[in-house]
Amino acid sequence: MGRAFEFRKARKMKRWSAMAKTFTRIGKDIVMAVKEGGPNPETNSRLRVVIQNAKAANMPKDNVARAIKKASDKDTANYKEVLFEGYAPHGIAILVETATNNNNRTVANVRAAFNKCNGNLGTSGSVAFMFDHVVNFKVKEESLGMDLEEFEMEMIDFEVEEVFADEEDNSVMLYAPFGQFGAIQGYLEENNIEIISSEFERIPTTTTKLSQEQQEEVEKLLERLEEDDDVNQVYHSMEA
């Protein structure tokens, strides 16, 4: 069990606890996927992934179908993915991933959150280098057709950094560099390995331990950012 496992374990109980927020995020992902590659998941690999994630989040099929239909409408505005970088109090690095159809609104809201919580919004590249950009896949262990050690060997060619079993739901997690997403998705689909979900994450290369009082200061900023409808993910370098 390595760094990616510990990172995921620390975030598991907190992230995207509100179902409505999760569905909103998936809805945006559907719009971006359809605008990019069309409404047919058989020919749109990005849309296939989003549909898998929707299923994993228990999003009703009718909601998914409506989102695809709406995204196909030429009058539906596309979303733009924008990354914000900055610092929370006590030098904690912050990355904020957003998906927005109104960049001016999003910039204003993110800046206000940093300012009101004693943080500093930085420039592009100011903290991103402190995080590894990775992709993870969660697959059904019973669909592997091999044991975990054999599967890990198969994944070496795809630069997979970590493979581990999640005994809670009999699944297997794998982590790899961001750029290997398409190749890994292709391998899993070609070998009939069932993908439960997949996503991109940013894992801090180093973390900073704070006192309880200092942690609470940082949490105020994290919570304010996560409440914003345009924000998809917030990553930080604070030790859990």
Side-chain angles (χ1 to χ4, degrees):
M1 301 295 185
R3 187 164 55 91
F5 173 80
E6 293 301 327
F7 170 79
R8 187 175 187 84
K9 181 180 176 183
R11 285 169 54 88
K12 191 172 183 180
M13 297 305 294
K14 182 160 186 168
R15 63 194 300 265
W16 302 112
S17 58
M19 186 172 291
K21 179 80 172 181
T22 302
F23 289 178
T24 297
R25 175 172 61 92
I26 292 173
K28 291 180 182 178
D29 289 342
I30 288 174
V31 170
M32 289 187 286
V34 171
K35 294 290 186 184
E36 178 185 290
N40 185 353
E42 292 185 8
T43 57
N44 185 339
S45 60
R46 181 175 180 180
L47 182 57
R48 285 200 302 276
V49 169
V50 180
I51 292 174
Q52 289 160 352
N53 292 346
K55 182 179 179 181
N58 295 314
M59 186 172 182
K61 289 183 179 180
D62 288 346
N63 291 33
V64 174
R66 283 196 299 270
I68 292 174
K69 183 177 180 181
K70 182 179 179 182
S72 302
D73 190 330
K74 293 181 180 179
D75 293 331
T76 299
N78 198 3
Y79 289 91
K80 180 182 179 182
E81 293 176 307
V82 183
L83 180 68
F84 294 91
E85 307 175 40
Y87 285 94
H90 312 295
I92 298 300
I94 301 285
L95 281 180
V96 186
E97 291 182 344
T98 67
T100 179
N101 57 7
N102 185 329
N103 192 56
N104 290 337
R105 176 192 65 218
T106 307
V107 171
N109 289 349
V110 171
R111 180 178 289 115
F114 274 92
N115 290 342
K116 291 181 179 180
C117 296
N118 299 316
N120 293 289
L121 183 62
T123 57
S124 178
S126 58
V127 303
F129 68 93
M130 301 180 189
F131 295 77
D132 287 335
H133 198 186
V134 303
V135 60
N136 73 62
F137 283 87
K138 185 176 187 177
V139 302
K140 278 196 175 181
E141 186 171 11
E142 62 184 21
S143 71
L144 292 182
M146 64 189 85
D147 63 34
L148 195 60
E149 188 174 334
E150 287 179 291
F151 180 63
E152 191 168 5
M153 292 297 293
E154 287 288 319
M155 291 292 99
I156 289 178
D157 290 341
F158 299 101
E159 301 179 41
V160 170
E161 297 164 352
E162 291 190 42
V163 177
F164 52 85
D166 187 337
E167 296 179 358
E168 290 183 12
D169 57 4
N170 297 316
S171 65
V172 171
M173 293 292 306
L174 60 93
Y175 278 80
F178 171 81
Q180 290 294 324
F181 171 76
I184 294 173
Q185 182 189 14
Y187 172 87
L188 296 175
E189 290 180 345
E190 288 170 10
N191 289 275
N192 298 313
I193 297 173
E194 184 174 344
I195 302 171
I196 299 172
S197 63
S198 63
E199 60 185 339
F200 300 114
E201 295 188 72
R202 297 178 188 268
I203 301 179
T205 54
T206 58
T207 55
T208 301
K209 188 173 184 177
L210 300 180
S211 68
Q212 183 63 37
E213 184 177 344
Q214 291 172 327
Q215 285 185 38
E216 290 173 0
E217 289 183 65
V218 176
E219 287 287 346
K220 288 180 182 178
L221 173 56
L222 299 178
E223 289 171 6
R224 188 180 183 93
L225 289 166
E226 289 173 345
E227 287 171 357
D228 192 292
D229 288 340
D230 292 337
V231 172
N232 277 357
Q233 299 279 17
V234 181
Y235 300 98
H236 60 82
S237 63
M238 180 172 63
E239 185 174 313

